[in-house]
Amino acid sequence: MRLQIYFAGSIRGTAPDRDTYGALIDELTRHGTVLTEHVRLEQDQHDRLPDSEIHARQMRWLRAADVVVAEVTAPSLGVGYEIAWAEASDKPVLCLYKPSSDRSLSAMIDGSPNVTVVRYESADEAIDAVRGFLSAAMT
Ligand code: 6K6
């Protein structure tokens, strides 16, 4: 059975670095099925679904996921919600964060003993963190 991976990243939250999202999703697809491929898209490229349907679909995928990988550099209510839900459901969660001088990571993510937070500078470092996390999660 292929690993089911939920990638979380900002959509309506703070504007993210979509190139990094794309590189992470490309890497994740080498390790399993990425349930949330669409997170790489620009806002205006998303399906026009009612929010209730978006929520129901995302929760279905979150329940089905074996692991959650979240890019948390761009603050997002939706991503925080997904991390909290995954954490409460005992799913392994990796949070990738690129530090900057103008903003700090929320203490509710950085201080949680149940999520793995990795700081990175380059996309290659983030990809290395993904590889290490997935190999640990699969053992
Ligand atoms: C189109 C334009 C604006 O929003 C859309 C479609 N919305 C969404 N489509 C897919 N996933 C979504 C959408 N809104 C939130 N999510 C989920 O929450 C994703 O799994 C992301 O990880 C997270 C993003 O939350 P926000 O608060 O940044 O939108």
Side-chain angles (χ1 to χ4, degrees), residues 6-14 36 38-39 43-44 46-48 54 57-58 75-79 82:
Y6 192 101
F7 177 78
S10 177
I11 294 178
R12 292 185 196 166
T14 313
T36 53
H38 58 278
V39 173
Q43 273 214 39
D44 59 3
H46 280 264
D47 301 337
R48 295 271 160 240
I54 292 171
R57 178 189 63 181
Q58 299 304 118
S76 152
L77 285 171
V79 173
E82 291 165 336

Side-chain angles (χ1 to χ4, degrees), residues 36-73:
T36 53
E37 268 272 349
H38 58 278
V39 173
R40 72 163 84 221
L41 301 175
E42 298 291 338
Q43 273 214 39
D44 59 3
Q45 296 175 305
H46 280 264
D47 301 337
R48 295 271 160 240
L49 291 175
D51 284 359
S52 58
E53 287 182 31
I54 292 171
H55 182 270
R57 178 189 63 181
Q58 299 304 118
M59 292 310 294
R60 202 167 58 242
W61 284 334
L62 204 42
R63 275 187 213 99
D66 300 307
V67 295
V68 173
V69 174
E71 210 297 335
V72 296
T73 308

Side-chain angles (χ1 to χ4, degrees), residues 79-126:
V79 173
Y81 178 109
E82 291 165 336
I83 292 168
W85 194 92
E87 188 183 333
S89 305
D90 291 327
K91 296 188 190 270
V93 182
L94 171 66
C95 293
L96 296 164
Y97 177 67
K98 185 172 185 173
S100 66
S101 53
D102 57 330
R103 193 188 290 136
S104 299
L105 181 58
S106 166
M108 294 305 286
I109 303 299
D110 213 6
S112 170
N114 301 316
V115 304
T116 302
V117 176
V118 172
R119 287 168 164 71
Y120 71 91
E121 291 298 333
S122 65
D124 284 348
E125 279 175 30

